[in-house]
Every structure is written in C-alpha cells, then in structure tokens.
Amino acid sequence: MSQSGTPKRMSIGHWEENVYVAIGAGGHELRLPYELTDHCGFRASEIRDMVWAFQISDILEDGYISTRELRRALDRMGEAPTDKAFLKIMNEVDPHANGKHSFQQFVKVMANFDRSMLTEDELINAFKIFDKDQSGSIDAIEMQDLMKKLGFPVTPLEAHAIIAEADDDNSGEVSYSEFVSKVLNNQ
C-alpha cells in the first residue's frame, strides 16, 4: 500500500521515452509500446507475439481494445475458446464489464490458455534423438538421416543449409547450447 492507502502497482519495467522496457519470465529485456506490470510467466518471445496480436486491434493507438477485438486478438494467437469459456475468463479479467481492455488485461487473458513450453528435459531428450553418434552435436549427416525418417528427404547440401541456420559458431555442427537457444527463441 502506498501512503495514501491505495494499493501500489508492482512494476517489472519502466518507461524510456515512448517505449516501456520490461523483463520477460526468461529474464530477457522487452521493449514494448504498452505498459506491462505482470508478465504472467510468459517469455519475451511470447509477449512479442501478444504485442503483435494486440497492436493490430489497437486501431486508435490508445493502448486499449474492445472485447470484440480482444476475441480477434485471441484468434490471431491461435486460441479459440468457446463462448462460455471466453465469458468466464472475461468475468475474471474485466469484472465491471467496461469492454475496454489494456495490454496487461490481454496478457492476463492469455494466461488462461495452456501455452505449454518445452522443458529442459524435453529438449535434452529431443537432442539425443537427433544426436545419433552421441557426440554432443548434430551434424549434416545426422540431419539428413533425420529428415529422411521424417519423410522429407534432403540432399547433403540442403542438410548443411539446415545445420548452418542454427550453427552460431560456424563449426558445421549444432551443439546442445545452440539447439536449446534456437528452440527457446522460436517458442
């Protein structure tokens, strides 16, 4: 509580001119056009996706969208709740039913959906499947074999190109840390 008796708003960021600088659940900095007081456990990459979906609906560029537009933003994020489920969520997020929603409210709505993130154990197991020779890295030969088994036969040159996409140190192989970094950044 503040000295005036009103509840203090927790903040995970601050304004720098017209950009709100916040930190996602993974600890990465975000530069947003909207204030965010609670990331609700979302990573920076997920919040960026939410900003995109929200901004399209923020036609007046005042930082608010209508309930109808919020529903459209959910659709853009791949969420299609039933009318009953949507009403239940909206009653929690907007108990006074004013029909005008901030970006923070949109993030809270999104927190009601299962947006499962890969765990480190799942990533380790996936990496082991790719890393046939257990060398700690995936090379073009292993990638070519994997793609063939998945029903997408590729040439050795194409397999090298796939590896090069994730190979940050230009070693010709993708290490576990490069693999994790690419997967987490694309979630």
Side-chain angles (χ1 to χ4, degrees), residues 70-136:
L70 190 140
R71 187 90 188 236
R72 288 185 183 136
L74 284 177
D75 285 340
R76 285 185 206 102
M77 293 295 298
E79 302 298 343
T82 64
D83 290 340
K84 183 177 178 179
F86 182 71
L87 186 59
K88 182 178 183 228
I89 293 167
M90 292 312 298
N91 284 335
E92 291 170 12
V93 175
D94 184 20
H96 302 295
N98 71 8
K100 190 174 176 183
H101 311 286
S102 67
F103 179 68
Q104 180 65 63
Q105 287 176 312
F106 179 60
V107 172
K108 286 183 178 178
V109 168
M110 287 299 298
N112 285 277
F113 298 98
D114 180 21
R115 304 199 49 89
S116 298
M117 302 300 289
L118 290 171
T119 65
E120 190 166 352
D121 287 340
E122 290 170 324
L123 288 176
I124 290 169
N125 289 334
F127 189 82
K128 286 179 181 174
I129 290 168
F130 297 146
D131 184 19
K132 292 288 186 197
D133 64 2
Q134 299 179 335
S135 64

Side-chain angles (χ1 to χ4, degrees), residues 54-86:
F54 188 89
Q55 255 181 332
I56 291 171
S57 293
D58 185 11
I59 297 164
L60 297 176
E61 297 179 355
D62 63 353
Y64 293 94
I65 60 176
S66 68
T67 302
R68 173 180 274 162
E69 285 299 320
L70 190 140
R71 187 90 188 236
R72 288 185 183 136
L74 284 177
D75 285 340
R76 285 185 206 102
M77 293 295 298
E79 302 298 343
T82 64
D83 290 340
K84 183 177 178 179
F86 182 71

